Structure formats: structure tokens, C-alpha cells
Amino acid sequence: MLLQATIAVSLFAMATTLWMAFYLFARGFPNAMTLRVVIVMLALSGFFFGAYNNTFVQIPGSAAIRAVLLVIVLGGWYSVTFHVMSDRDQKRFRYFEWGIYALGALSIIFLLQPNSFIAEQGNALFVAHMNPKGLAYKVYGGYQFLVSFGIMLNLLVGDRVGLTTRGKYFLVTSIFPVVSVMYGVVSLGSPTAAPRIIQDTLAFCGIFVLGLSVARHQTWTERRATLQDFPLTTLSTLGLAALTTFFAWNSGMPVKNLASVAGFVVLAVGIYDLT
């Protein structure tokens, strides 16, 4: 049951985040906030695609690549909340922002070192493991905690934009990655296996609501998209991807290839829509 649920979450989250990236880019360019969210969406889509494939074939070192993508996701998320603040508060916390990005770059360097993750084989359904005494775990875990703190700080200090009508959606959205980070960091260094589906679901819920928040921002602030356009195009695109994936699976295609099928359908519609 855990296997089927993990596969379903990874496949749905990959297709949804990939579509939302193309949707927001097509309707939000060249808005800087939208471009940041697009990068976050693409990185998370790549993470879920790798997680789906890892369920069937565990490739040594792939956990580090997925972790690097999460570093990008969290860094992009922090950047979105940072630029929601007023110019005065941005100047006030500018050095903290640079510190976050520097620590993120350092985390990527340590994550890409050989054997930064341990016991990858046979651990497809659970959070990857790191040596809790290793420097890579300390730097990576410290980055996740610090960036989570920074996200909430951006929304709750100074003008407290997260408590305003404009920012309350970003505040609610940011609760998901913070909880996901806490769960993930503890699980990384814990000897007890922790189901990956919990962290994946929290991350997906957060990024999905973030996309809705940006779409709402475009609708009410920039008049770029309509409230009807987003749900209808999302439903039709994901419905087409699901139908194609079902026929591919029903015709005998291996389950491990279904993520590629769904991905190419979303890419085809997304690139056409972008064009």
C-alpha cells in the first residue's frame, strides 16, 4: 500500500508542478516574482521525477541530486518571501539574505561529495539517510533550518506582510515547507526509517498553494490571468496526462516509465501554451 501511495504522490506532484511552471511562466513573464516561483516549480518537478524513478531503480548518488534540487526549492521560496517585504525591510535583512544563499551554495558542495548519503539501495520508500555526525548533514540540516526560519521571519517582521490580506496566503503556504523541513532533517539522521510520502506530500501541498497564491496575485494585482483560466487549464492538462498514462499502462508499458509519459504530455501542452 505504501508503495502504490508513494508512486501516486510522486507522479501527480511531478506532473502538476511541471504544468504550473509552464502556466505561470507563460502568463507571468517578465514579472520577477513569477520567475522565481517558476524556478521553484521546475526544481521540485525534477525532484519528484527523480523520486519516482528511484522507486524502481536506485542509482547511487541520486539522493544527492534530489537534495540539491531541494536546496534550490527552499532558496527560491525564501527569495519569494524576501521580495514580498517592503524595500525598507529588504535593506534591513540584506546580509541575512546573502548568508542564506551562501550557505545554500556550500550545502550543494557538500552534498555532491562522494558518500554524502548512506544506505541508498533498498531505501526507495523512505527518507534518505545521512551520517548525523558528518559535516554534510550538519551543513545541509543547518541550511534547511535557517532558511525555514528566514521564510517565516520575512513574513512576520517589520511590516508583518504575512498578516496582511496580500501576504496571508504566502504565510499559510510557507507553513508546509517548514513542517516538511523539520520532518526531513530529523529523518535524515535518524536510524529509524521514515516514510518519504509524508515529506513529499507536505512539500507538494506547499508549492501548489504557492502557485495558487502567485496566480491570485497576477489576477488581482497585474490583471494577467483569470480565476477561471487557471483551474480549467490545469484540469484539462492533467486530465489529458492522466488519460494518456492510463492507456499507456493498460497497454503494457512498465510502471517505471509512466512518469516520462505524463511528463512529455505536460511538456507538449505547456510548450504549446507558452508559444
Side-chain angles (χ1 to χ4, degrees):
M1 184 65 181
L2 180 60
L3 173 63
Q4 289 81 359
T6 303
I7 289 174
V9 168
S10 297
L11 183 59
F12 179 74
M14 183 276 298
T16 303
T17 51
L18 183 62
W19 163 247
M20 291 179 72
F22 275 91
Y23 176 89
L24 292 174
F25 183 72
R27 287 156 180 78
F29 183 83
N31 180 272
M33 178 184 290
T34 301
L35 294 180
R36 291 184 181 93
V37 176
V38 168
I39 292 173
V40 171
M41 293 282 186
L42 290 176
L44 197 61
S45 179
F47 168 84
F48 282 120
F49 182 76
Y52 182 92
N53 290 329
N54 185 68
T55 306
F56 303 97
V57 181
Q58 285 92 52
I59 302 175
S62 60
I65 301 301
R66 294 195 300 276
V68 168
L69 291 173
L70 285 182
V71 170
I72 297 173
V73 168
L74 288 172
W77 204 311
Y78 174 83
S79 180
V80 170
T81 58
F82 183 83
H83 287 87
V84 168
M85 294 193 298
S86 64
D87 292 337
R88 181 191 61 189
D89 288 331
Q90 289 184 37
K91 292 178 181 178
R92 180 182 173 190
F93 292 98
R94 183 71 65 189
Y95 289 107
F96 187 80
E97 179 196 23
W98 292 345
I100 288 286
Y101 299 149
L103 185 60
L106 186 63
S107 299
I108 291 176
I109 294 174
F110 278 102
L111 288 171
L112 294 179
Q113 297 300 312
N115 302 319
S116 59
F117 286 83
I118 58 177
E120 289 188 57
Q121 297 295 325
N123 192 41
L125 302 181
F126 303 95
V127 177
H129 292 295
M130 301 181 75
N131 180 5
K133 297 181 180 179
L135 191 57
Y137 173 78
K138 294 177 181 178
V139 174
Y140 181 49
Y143 168 76
Q144 292 191 73
F145 276 122
L146 191 61
V147 77
S148 299
F149 171 77
I151 288 171
M152 302 307 292
L153 183 72
N154 292 342
L155 297 170
L156 296 176
V157 300
D159 295 333
R160 297 183 179 180
V161 67
L163 302 180
T164 65
T165 303
R166 180 172 65 95
K168 63 182 180 180
Y169 295 95
F170 291 99
L171 179 61
V172 173
T173 299
S174 298
I175 293 175
F176 290 100
V178 170
V179 176
S180 177
V181 162
M182 303 301 174
Y183 179 84
V185 172
V186 173
S187 302
L188 279 171
S190 173
T192 305
R196 180 168 56 83
I197 189 174
I198 298 176
Q199 184 181 27
D200 290 355
T201 302
L202 287 170
F204 170 71
C205 289
I207 199 67
F208 183 75
V209 180
L210 179 64
L212 293 178
S213 301
V214 174
R216 179 183 180 279
H217 174 79
Q218 290 179 352
T219 299
W220 296 113
T221 304
E222 302 178 6
R223 307 296 179 185
R224 288 176 178 265
T226 65
L227 290 176
Q228 295 82 8
D229 181 50
F230 180 75
L232 289 176
T233 53
T234 299
L235 182 63
S236 61
T237 302
L238 296 183
L240 179 61
L243 187 63
T244 307
T245 303
F246 171 76
F247 276 107
W249 171 72
N250 197 46
S251 300
M253 176 169 285
V255 177
K256 66 179 182 180
N257 293 335
L258 294 183
S260 298
V261 173
F264 278 121
V265 172
V266 174
L267 280 173
V269 178
I271 291 174
Y272 173 80
D273 182 67
L274 176 62
T275 304

